[in-house]
Amino acid sequence: QMGLQQSRSQKPNLSSVYKGKVRGRLENENGIILASQPALDSKTITLLFSSLGDPKSLPVTTNSEETSFEVELLSPNDVQYRPLFYDRKKEYGAQHTYWEALCHAHPNNDFGLWASPRIVGKNHRGINFRHCPATKEISALVDAIREINQDFLNSLQERLRNGTDDCQLPDGLIERLMEGYFRSVSIQLHFGQESRELDSLIHLDHIFSLLHMAVTLHGERTVGFVVGRNENEEEPEDPYSLKYFKIDLKSGDVYLTCPTAVLHGICVTKKSEEERSVAIQLRTLMRVQDVNVLATDGKWAKFIFRSVMATLEEFDGRVRLPTHDEYILFLDKRKILPNHSQTAVIFKNE
């Protein structure tokens, strides 16, 4: 079992912690995972974590039908709007609580209609979901990440535009992906009894995680990526056993990769509500038509995955998180935007 442990002094630049064969949609092709532990300083983390509020005050519903989302979340003019919890009991264990919020960090700052990374139709087709804005503190972090890593995003865009002899993406799709990077926001909270074992939690994300940054705000959790075996490694006694690269995550830690292409899972030890693990997942905000195209065209999707991995390798050690002073500049800009929700839509899974 490989893993990552290093000094806790802040290192805002993300460097490769794993380079090699990965398992998943890029079966035994080379992949890369960038990380820093921690990448964000404590003052920035405090602002982000405090913006989420007290989960005890949030309402709960057991209705998980997709039709309820349009009815119950359309409250853009309600200044007392509060997040709505959804109950999905069996994902991480019956006694383990897992809450998740879906929101967006788009500059338009309204209750925008985008494809949902959690509600998908037949054959993985997209379903419209009215996302509320993320808190201004989270949106400011996304703004900062996109701005200070513009060279990285431009290089990825150029790779996608260049294409290959047998794969040329439409310009409109490339531009919409560029607009959406890191702007699909998921806020995840874990506490209670320990989660199920990692082997039972392994999965591939939907297309929204083609470029995915995870930021831990509070508590601890472990992410495990399924990786390939070297040619000189002995075959395991159990042919179905998985080999993991694990990262133990704490407050301020960040990793960046393509979980749509790499099998992975999160596990959490027993925690009280005060010790809860809190993380934000920054994915790609996407329109339904683009989700549908990429869900049905495996050639285009794999080309994007390979382009993301190649760009991550090119910018190994150069992708970075903002300093606190940089973050405050972007936060000040976000504070003057109108009609900003202070809360997020949250799903409850316990």
Side-chain angles (χ1 to χ4, degrees):
Q1 300 290 313
M2 298 180 292
L4 172 65
Q5 292 182 337
Q6 61 184 60
S7 168
R8 296 298 300 171
S9 59
Q10 185 191 355
K11 299 177 181 178
N13 285 49
L14 305 184
S15 300
S16 57
V17 294
Y18 178 81
K19 293 171 70 173
K21 302 295 184 183
V22 293
R23 302 280 305 279
R25 290 189 174 95
L26 297 180
E27 185 64 24
N28 272 333
E29 295 186 29
N30 287 326
I32 183 170
I33 303 165
L34 305 185
S36 181
Q37 296 186 275
L40 287 173
D41 68 273
S42 59
K43 292 183 290 185
T44 301
I45 289 294
T46 297
L47 288 172
L48 291 164
F49 182 68
S50 299
S51 77
L52 302 181
D54 182 0
K56 292 180 180 178
S57 67
L58 302 175
V60 178
T61 178
T62 57
N63 182 2
S64 61
E65 294 298 322
E66 64 199 45
T67 53
S68 70
F69 289 85
E70 294 291 343
V71 174
E72 297 183 78
L73 302 184
L74 291 177
S75 307
N77 299 316
D78 180 6
V79 295
Q80 298 301 318
Y81 174 76
R82 288 294 180 268
L84 185 63
F85 283 61
Y86 282 80
D87 190 354
R88 294 155 58 188
K89 289 183 178 296
K90 296 182 179 179
E91 290 190 22
Y92 280 75
Q95 302 302 315
H96 181 86
T97 297
Y98 168 34
W99 298 348
E100 183 173 36
L102 300 178
C103 42
H104 76 80
H106 194 277
N108 286 351
N109 218 42
D110 57 10
F111 279 62
L113 199 63
W114 286 281
S116 167
R118 280 289 179 258
I119 310 169
V120 295
K122 187 177 181 180
N123 298 323
H124 303 287
R125 294 179 69 81
I127 291 178
N128 274 327
F129 176 82
R130 199 166 294 280
H131 293 61
C132 71
T135 66
K136 62 181 180 294
E137 288 81 2
I138 292 176
S139 295
L141 177 66
V142 173
D143 293 344
I145 290 168
R146 287 175 53 90
E147 179 68 25
I148 65 180
N149 293 294
Q150 195 62 46
D151 288 347
F152 166 78
L153 295 178
N154 287 340
S155 180
L156 175 56
Q157 184 178 40
E158 188 65 22
R159 270 194 171 84
L160 296 179
R161 282 178 175 163
N162 289 339
T164 63
D165 290 341
D166 62 349
C167 186
Q168 292 290 328
L169 301 181
D171 286 341
L173 171 60
I174 296 171
E175 291 170 2
R176 289 189 295 274
L177 290 175
M178 185 73 167
E179 180 187 9
Y181 292 137
F182 303 129
R183 284 179 168 155
S184 175
V185 179
S186 167
I187 307 164
Q188 297 178 346
L189 294 82
H190 290 267
F191 60 91
Q193 295 297 317
E194 65 180 345
S195 62
R196 300 205 314 266
E197 293 183 358
L198 191 57
D199 279 357
S200 66
L201 297 171
I202 292 301
H203 63 282
L204 289 166
D205 284 4
H206 204 323
I207 194 66
F208 306 87
S209 294
L210 59 92
L211 181 63
H212 178 120
M213 180 180 288
V215 182
T216 300
L217 301 184
H218 187 264
E220 300 176 359
R221 62 200 176 103
T222 297
V223 60
F225 296 93
V226 181
V227 298
R229 300 184 185 278
N230 299 325
E231 293 181 0
N232 58 356
E233 283 188 80
E234 294 183 5
E235 288 295 323
E237 293 183 8
D238 179 0
Y240 298 103
S241 67
L242 299 176
K243 180 182 178 183
Y244 294 106
F245 178 80
K246 293 183 180 180
I247 309 177
D248 296 321
L249 299 162
K250 298 179 181 179
S251 176
D253 293 352
V254 175
Y255 69 82
L256 175 66
T257 189
C258 177
T260 305
V262 184
L263 285 161
H264 64 285
I266 293 285
C267 59
V268 183
T269 59
K270 181 179 179 180
K271 296 187 181 303
S272 68
E273 188 169 343
E274 290 70 29
E275 297 170 323
R276 62 189 179 274
S277 168
V278 182
I280 53 175
Q281 314 295 330
L282 305 179
R283 304 184 176 103
T284 303
L285 196 63
M286 298 182 69
R287 302 293 181 183
V288 163
Q289 66 266 30
D290 296 330
V291 172
N292 292 345
V293 166
L294 295 176
T296 56
D297 193 318
K299 181 172 66 176
W300 280 10
K302 285 188 176 181
F303 168 65
I304 293 174
F305 304 156
R306 293 179 180 120
S307 298
V308 167
M309 291 297 192
T311 310
L312 290 174
E313 184 162 8
E314 177 190 357
F315 281 80
D316 186 353
R318 291 193 284 158
V319 177
R320 72 177 182 89
L321 275 290
T323 65
H324 184 66
D325 289 342
E326 289 173 326
Y327 172 70
I328 292 298
L329 291 175
F330 285 92
L331 182 57
D332 288 342
K333 293 178 184 178
R334 275 283 176 171
K335 284 180 178 178
I336 64 174
L337 291 174
N339 302 324
H340 204 297
S341 169
Q342 296 302 301
T343 56
V345 183
I346 295 192
F347 299 92
K348 183 178 181 183
N349 310 262
E350 68 173 0

